[in-house]
Amino acid sequence: MDKKVWIKFAYVLASALVLGVFLYLIQIPSFRSFLSGIENKTFDLRQSIISKYAKVSDEIVIIDVDDASYEYIVDRYGAWPAPRVFWAKLIKDLEPSDPSALVFDILFLKRFASDGNSDLELINAVKNNKNVYAPINFDNYSKEVRIPPNLPLHLQNNIEGDFLIKNNPDLVYSNCRKIIDEILNGTKNIGFINVHRDDDGVIRTMIPFLYYDGAYYKHLTLLSGLDYLGLNNSKFKMNKKGEIVLDNKHTLPLNNDGKLILNWYGPQWSFNYIPLWEISAAIKKSDRAFLDKNLKGKIVFIGVTANSLSDIKSTPVSSLYPGVEVQATFLNNILDNNFIKRINPVFDILISILIAFLVGFGVMNFKSPVKSVLLLFGLNIGYFILSLLFMKFFNIWISLIAPIILSILIFAAAYVVKYLITSRDYEHTYKLAVTDGLTEMFNHRYFQEQMSANIRASKRYNSVFSLIMVDIDFFKKFNDTYGHQSGDAVLRQVAQTIKKNIRSTDIPCRYGGEEMSVILTNTNKEDAIKTANKICEAVRNKEFELATGDWTHVTISLGVASMPADGDTTEKLIEYADKCLYVAKKNGRNQVVFEFSEDV
């Protein structure tokens, strides 16, 4: 197979394997939950960036019970919550400024037995002013704790084609904390104020509708927003995309869990806040100009922001977000038709595969690791910026984590493939560099390297090793008789015979011409002599095939030297083995010599 084809095949195979494993893992709930948690954090990051450039609606005002207002109420009434008559008077005093809506983010639960007149005043203030909105709250308390109440029919809604809400356990409730019965039955401006937190405690979505006792109920903020837009009714229709279409400009694009993903407006305190004590002071001074300027035609939320009253939420843009501002953010999304829509998961998978394969392709084609790393970071940073732009200008949430993780996995897989191929090429190149082409023994350069390495090891660890020098007898005459091609054939076969009769740890080399050598690691002289004799006998008894097709016998002479007995340097050991080889030739060849007299 052509090398380039092999590289592409290996890359595609590795990428397909990684992709398959990744797709398998995301089917596991715990792994999918892990990815979802990280993805939510990337949503928070993007929201914290783009929310700084988002503009809140001038139509929304928050009258907040801050710490100073809390103290103001406690000083005058002795405790929190303020008596119902306080809120009744506040409604009456604010109505002349003609606010579009007064939305209470404060629950008025049950009547006070000790102060019935105070309750009555609040009831009348709410019933007599059609722009006052009061909340209820749903929960799943046992009927042993609280008997689930029957809510008025005029609060119920119908959603045709719903396949997201009443089938989601998170949106189906079995009990309700109702407010004063006279308010509950006396006005249609009642909605729930439940909020939804993700597993990490952060509020990213809001519940527009929930299901209780066989009917749908609206969120209080949704109710006030629809009234402000003139779109409120009790019958809605959900299309196949999971959207509730209100008119040509406004839709509720429900997420696949029946919730709305909020688009946030900067850090906390982004809206127009007026402390309750300041409103009370203006009322006391009859400063109608101040009240009209700030409240006329506005949707006014009344809620708690005091730290001591603990209505603080964690959101993508702040961990200290007043609960009433969460409601204001929800309303602002309704007015601006500004909800975030999660893109189709199929697109997430396709873009993940595209980015991952681009990264892998770059790794396989770039020689420089720096370029490969830059490509990985460049593509992911570019994709992050693209996702940021999509969220800012199109309100679309594109998944970040799946493409990033998959691209990193493919990057690693491509480098493994590249490393294996490079290692294979390096190994092949190195083998060519240290191998004699004719005999397939190691060459002279490698022989010298290994001799030096074995001498260093022998000196360091006080160990032994041996060297055998081999020469084919009468080889020049053999070449003259049978020709060089036959000589080469015999050289190859003698080399093969030597390799078959030594250990795998021994190092056979072609020293030069017809001369060969064997480095025997961790071998003393006695064992080296045995090995030399074994080689000598194997060559003597073997019949060698010539280039002409004929067969013949050859013999070899061998000289043996050992360290440290016969020398402690490469030169001394080679010299000793050469002298032994010389003696073997002088004494008739076809033999092993391992010692000699000094007069040689």
Side-chain angles (χ1 to χ4, degrees):
M1 184 183 293
D2 180 75
K3 181 180 177 181
K4 290 184 178 180
V5 175
W6 158 246
I7 292 173
K8 290 179 181 178
F9 174 76
Y11 163 59
V12 171
L13 186 63
S15 299
L17 179 62
V18 170
L19 179 61
V21 171
F22 184 78
L23 292 177
Y24 170 77
L25 288 175
I26 62 176
Q27 304 303 314
I28 301 173
S30 58
F31 184 75
R32 190 165 60 247
S33 177
F34 168 73
L35 289 183
S36 179
I38 302 176
E39 181 62 34
N40 282 341
K41 293 302 181 184
T42 72
F43 173 81
D44 297 349
L45 173 61
R46 284 174 277 182
Q47 279 288 307
S48 65
I49 293 172
I50 67 175
S51 64
K52 297 175 183 177
Y53 306 99
K55 188 177 183 298
V56 299
S57 173
D58 294 333
E59 304 303 308
I60 301 173
V61 175
I62 298 175
I63 297 177
D64 65 315
V65 183
D66 59 0
D67 288 302
S69 300
Y70 170 69
E71 186 174 337
Y72 174 89
I73 291 172
V74 171
D75 284 348
R76 282 158 180 76
Y77 299 99
W80 174 267
R84 303 287 169 73
V85 68
F86 172 82
W87 302 112
K89 185 176 184 307
L90 180 66
I91 292 171
K92 293 176 183 177
D93 289 333
L94 296 182
E95 284 298 336
S97 294
D98 194 24
S100 175
L102 292 175
V103 186
F104 279 88
D105 190 30
I106 299 171
L107 285 167
F108 300 117
L109 301 173
K110 300 181 180 179
R111 295 189 65 162
F112 287 160
S114 60
D115 192 1
N117 289 332
S118 180
D119 286 336
L120 186 59
E121 289 201 39
L122 177 63
I123 291 167
N124 290 331
V126 174
K127 291 173 63 176
N128 294 334
N129 295 282
K130 303 303 181 183
N131 62 344
V132 178
Y133 294 78
I136 56 176
N137 191 66
F138 290 95
D139 57 39
N140 290 308
Y141 280 11
S142 168
K143 63 181 180 180
E144 303 298 327
V145 177
R146 183 199 313 125
I147 297 175
N150 295 317
L151 298 179
L153 292 176
H154 66 264
L155 299 183
Q156 296 180 1
N157 298 269
N158 179 57
I159 302 177
E160 182 184 342
D162 167 44
F163 61 94
L164 293 175
I165 299 171
K166 69 179 180 181
N167 296 321
N168 183 353
D170 289 342
L171 304 182
V172 178
Y173 288 84
S174 61
N175 215 325
C176 176
R177 297 173 70 195
K178 68 174 185 175
I179 56 174
I180 300 171
D181 284 337
E182 290 85 348
I183 296 178
L184 191 66
N185 294 296
T187 176
K188 66 179 180 61
N189 296 338
I190 305 294
F192 65 87
I193 54 172
N194 294 63
V195 295
H196 170 78
R197 292 176 174 83
D198 290 326
D199 292 340
D200 57 1
V202 177
I203 296 174
R204 298 181 180 90
T205 59
M206 287 296 282
I207 305 170
F209 294 93
L210 54 71
Y211 198 72
Y212 170 75
D213 194 24
Y216 298 91
Y217 293 87
K218 291 190 195 79
H219 194 285
L220 182 68
T221 301
L222 175 61
L223 174 63
S224 63
L226 293 178
D227 280 343
Y228 182 82
L229 295 171
L231 301 174
N232 195 19
N233 59 66
S234 61
K235 294 183 179 180
F236 300 89
K237 186 174 182 179
M238 184 183 297
N239 62 26
K240 293 180 179 179
K241 296 179 181 178
E243 298 172 329
I244 296 177
V245 180
L246 304 175
D247 65 6
N248 293 333
K249 293 183 178 179
H250 298 85
T251 61
L252 301 177
L254 301 185
N255 200 17
N256 57 13
D257 58 1
K259 305 180 186 77
L260 293 165
I261 305 173
L262 294 182
N263 218 337
W264 298 85
Y265 298 86
Q268 68 272 31
W269 318 114
S270 298
F271 290 86
N272 180 18
Y273 275 86
I274 306 174
L276 180 59
W277 70 263
E278 192 172 339
I279 291 290
S280 297
I283 292 171
K284 187 175 182 180
K285 293 186 293 185
S286 299
D287 189 355
R288 188 52 57 186
F290 172 82
L291 296 172
D292 291 348
K293 176 184 176 183
N294 287 284
L295 305 179
K296 188 175 181 62
K298 309 292 186 183
I299 303 174
V300 181
F301 282 91
I302 301 170
V304 175
T305 63
N307 290 326
S308 55
L309 298 177
S310 303
D311 191 24
I312 301 299
K313 317 294 184 185
S314 182
T315 71
V317 293
S318 173
S319 59
L320 300 172
Y321 213 80
V324 67
E325 188 163 351
V326 174
Q327 310 293 355
T329 299
F330 183 18
L331 176 61
N332 212 146
N333 275 224
I334 295 170
L335 300 184
D336 293 348
N337 196 37
N338 203 33
F339 295 102
I340 296 292
K341 296 177 282 292
R342 194 74 185 262
I343 203 163
N344 192 309
V346 174
F347 176 84
D348 285 338
I349 293 173
L350 292 177
I351 197 67
S352 299
I353 293 173
L354 176 61
I355 292 175
F357 272 85
L358 286 175
V359 168
F361 181 81
V363 171
M364 298 306 296
N365 287 275
F366 291 156
K367 293 183 179 180
S368 169
V370 174
K371 288 184 179 180
S372 300
V373 173
L374 288 176
L375 176 66
L376 174 66
F377 279 95
L379 282 173
N380 283 315
I381 291 172
Y383 183 64
F384 172 76
I385 294 172
L386 180 66
S387 74
L388 204 61
L389 296 175
F390 264 73
M391 186 170 287
K392 176 172 173 54
F393 294 108
F394 304 105
N395 296 340
I396 293 177
W397 178 355
I398 301 174
S399 175
L400 268 183
I401 289 304
I404 289 175
I405 289 180
L406 190 57
S407 66
I408 292 173
L409 291 175
I410 293 292
F411 178 85
Y415 250 103
V416 168
V417 170
K418 190 172 184 178
Y419 171 78
L420 292 175
I421 292 172
T422 302
S423 297
R424 180 172 171 269
D425 290 345
Y426 175 79
E427 186 178 329
H428 179 68
T429 303
Y430 181 74
K431 185 177 180 181
L432 290 177
V434 299
T435 303
D436 175 64
L438 178 63
T439 62
E440 296 183 352
M441 287 178 150
F442 292 108
N443 60 23
H444 185 80
R445 184 179 70 178
Y446 190 78
F447 166 78
Q448 293 290 343
E449 291 174 359
Q450 291 303 306
M451 284 294 293
S452 299
N454 275 274
I455 287 171
R456 287 194 299 271
S458 181
K459 289 179 177 178
R460 176 175 296 179
Y461 302 111
N462 196 28
S463 60
V464 298
F465 82 96
S466 298
L467 170 66
I468 301 174
M469 298 296 292
V470 181
D471 191 78
I472 300 176
D473 297 332
F474 303 113
F475 192 69
K476 184 177 183 307
K477 182 179 179 181
F478 184 93
N479 276 335
D480 292 340
T481 303
Y482 297 103
H484 288 283
Q485 288 186 335
S486 292
D488 290 345
V490 168
L491 267 175
R492 282 193 295 270
Q493 293 172 76
V494 169
Q496 290 169 4
T497 304
I498 291 173
K499 287 193 285 185
K500 287 179 181 178
N501 287 276
I502 60 175
R503 302 168 303 180
S504 60
T505 55
D506 296 332
I507 305 168
C509 303
R510 184 179 182 186
Y511 191 78
E514 71 275 16
E515 197 169 0
M516 305 174 203
S517 62
V518 181
I519 301 172
L520 297 95
T521 57
N522 298 313
T523 303
N524 58 31
K525 194 163 188 176
E526 182 180 354
D527 290 335
I529 294 169
K530 291 179 181 178
T531 300
N533 280 312
K534 180 181 176 183
I535 294 170
C536 186
E537 183 178 0
V539 172
R540 179 190 310 123
N541 295 332
K542 181 176 177 60
E543 194 173 15
F544 296 93
E545 185 179 9
L546 305 180
T548 59
D550 297 323
W551 295 82
T552 189
H553 287 277
V554 295
T555 58
I556 55 175
S557 299
L558 304 93
V560 180
S562 293
M563 179 175 176
D566 303 322
D568 58 1
T569 66
T570 299
E571 293 76 12
K572 289 180 180 179
L573 287 171
I574 293 173
E575 181 182 3
Y576 189 94
D578 268 341
K579 287 184 177 181
C580 289
L581 181 60
Y582 175 77
V583 172
K585 287 180 171 293
K586 184 178 179 181
N587 292 342
R589 296 179 169 82
N590 190 25
Q591 59 185 283
V592 176
V593 174
F594 50 86
E595 58 184 3
F596 57 89
S597 60
E598 288 300 327
D599 59 348
V600 174

